[in-house]
């Protein structure tokens, strides 16, 4: 059976789009899961007393080693020309290295769940920069997504008044404060 672009000839374009959409959704969910796992693991390592920069270096070093089989299997396409290599170097140094070192420093100061919620601002900023600087046009659905993310962040960060509840502050064995919410009846 003859194939084109990885699909058998008998597969219709609509079936291809549906499969690609489902695959993209699954890969997006997997990326979100692994990002949450990475943030949790980084926070746990930093909580043990390892400084943020070595902790992040360790995590990214292990990730780099785990990605080597992919690079070997694909033939290192990033090294195919100077222009692709320079883009790769820029991406490695500015958004990855600097961004994740700063993220690691933040993880040393806040809970992993708070840091993950705050990273939701990134796609909003990227979309707004694309509109303002590059002249992109964001469709109505995109603006709705921006609105949902911003409203979600407001709901998650706003301190709602407590009703019939009181907060008891305590300390764990490592003298770090922990808050318990006790429901009064």
């Amino acid at each position: 059976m003859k194939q084109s672009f990885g699909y058998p000839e008998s597969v219709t374009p609509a079936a291809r789009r549906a499969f690609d959409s489902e695959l993209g959704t699954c890969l997006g969910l997997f990326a979100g899961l692994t990002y949450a796992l990475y943030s949790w693991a980084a926070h746990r390592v930093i909580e043990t007393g390892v400084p943020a920069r070595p902790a992040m270096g360790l995590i990214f070093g292990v990730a780099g080693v785990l990605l080597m089989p992919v690079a070997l299997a694909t033939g290192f396409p990033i090294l195919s020309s100077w222009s692709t290599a320079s883009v790769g170097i820029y991406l490695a140094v500015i958004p990855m290295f600097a961004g994740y070192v700063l993220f690691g420093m933040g993880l040393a100061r806040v809970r992993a769940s708070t840091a993950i919620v705050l990273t939701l601002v990134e796609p909003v900023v990227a979309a707004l920069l694309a509109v303002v600087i590059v002249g992109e046009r964001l469709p109505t659905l995109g603006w709705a997504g921006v609105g949902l993310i911003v409203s979600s962040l407001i709901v998650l960060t706003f301190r709602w008044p407590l009703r019939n509840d009181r907060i008891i502050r305590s300390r764990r064995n490592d003298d770090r404060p922990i808050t318990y919410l006790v429901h009064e009846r």
Side-chain angles (χ1 to χ4, degrees), residues 12 17 31 47 63 80 112 114 126 151 156 159 180 182:
T12 65
R17 282 191 302 276
E47 252 187 350
S80 63
T114 302
S151 60
L156 289 171
R159 292 192 176 239
Y180 294 97
V182 177

Side-chain angles (χ1 to χ4, degrees), residues 2 5 16 21 33 36-37 41 44 67 101 105-106 109-111 116-117 122-123 128 154 158 161 163 165 170 173 179:
K2 187 178 175 186
F5 301 113
R16 291 177 189 178
S21 177
L33 173 70
L37 180 64
R44 295 288 300 209
L67 283 174
V101 165
M105 291 168 61
R109 290 167 179 75
V110 299
R111 294 186 334 230
I116 291 169
V117 168
E122 188 270 333
L128 294 177
I154 290 169
F158 184 74
R163 296 183 194 147
D165 294 331
S170 178
N173 293 336
T179 303

Side-chain angles (χ1 to χ4, degrees), residues 71-90:
L72 292 171
T74 60
F76 290 93
I78 197 155
L79 301 177
S80 63
S81 72
W82 174 247
S83 62
T84 57
S86 63
V87 169
I89 291 167
Y90 163 78

Side-chain angles (χ1 to χ4, degrees), residues 162-169 179-184:
L162 296 174
R163 296 183 194 147
N164 299 331
D165 294 331
R166 58 189 169 94
I167 294 177
I168 297 174
R169 300 209 183 271
T179 303
Y180 294 97
L181 183 61
V182 177
H183 301 284
E184 292 182 8

Side-chain angles (χ1 to χ4, degrees), residues 5-163:
F5 301 113
Y7 293 104
E9 234 177 54
S10 61
V11 176
T12 65
R16 291 177 189 178
R17 282 191 302 276
F19 175 77
D20 289 346
S21 177
E22 291 170 2
L23 178 63
T25 301
C26 290
L27 289 174
L29 290 171
F30 182 71
L33 173 70
T34 56
Y35 185 73
L37 180 64
Y38 146 76
S39 298
W40 175 80
H43 182 71
R44 295 288 300 209
V45 168
I46 292 169
E47 252 187 350
T48 65
V50 176
R53 284 187 288 185
M56 301 309 275
L58 170 72
I59 290 168
F60 277 93
V62 170
V65 169
L66 293 174
L67 283 174
M68 287 306 290
V70 175
L72 292 171
T74 60
F76 290 93
I78 197 155
L79 301 177
S80 63
S81 72
W82 174 247
S83 62
T84 57
S86 63
V87 169
I89 291 167
Y90 163 78
L91 289 173
V93 171
I94 303 300
M96 292 297 293
F97 177 75
Y100 281 101
V101 165
L102 293 172
F103 184 72
M105 291 168 61
L107 278 175
R109 290 167 179 75
V110 299
R111 294 186 334 230
S113 58
T114 302
I116 291 169
V117 168
L118 291 175
T119 60
L120 291 174
V121 173
E122 188 270 333
V124 172
V125 171
L128 294 177
L129 288 175
V131 168
V132 172
I133 295 175
V134 183
E136 290 278 334
R137 293 185 184 268
L138 201 58
T140 306
L141 194 57
W143 286 112
V146 166
L148 281 172
I149 290 173
V150 169
S151 60
S152 297
L153 287 171
I154 290 169
V155 167
L156 289 171
T157 57
F158 184 74
R159 292 192 176 239
W160 301 97
L162 296 174
R163 296 183 194 147

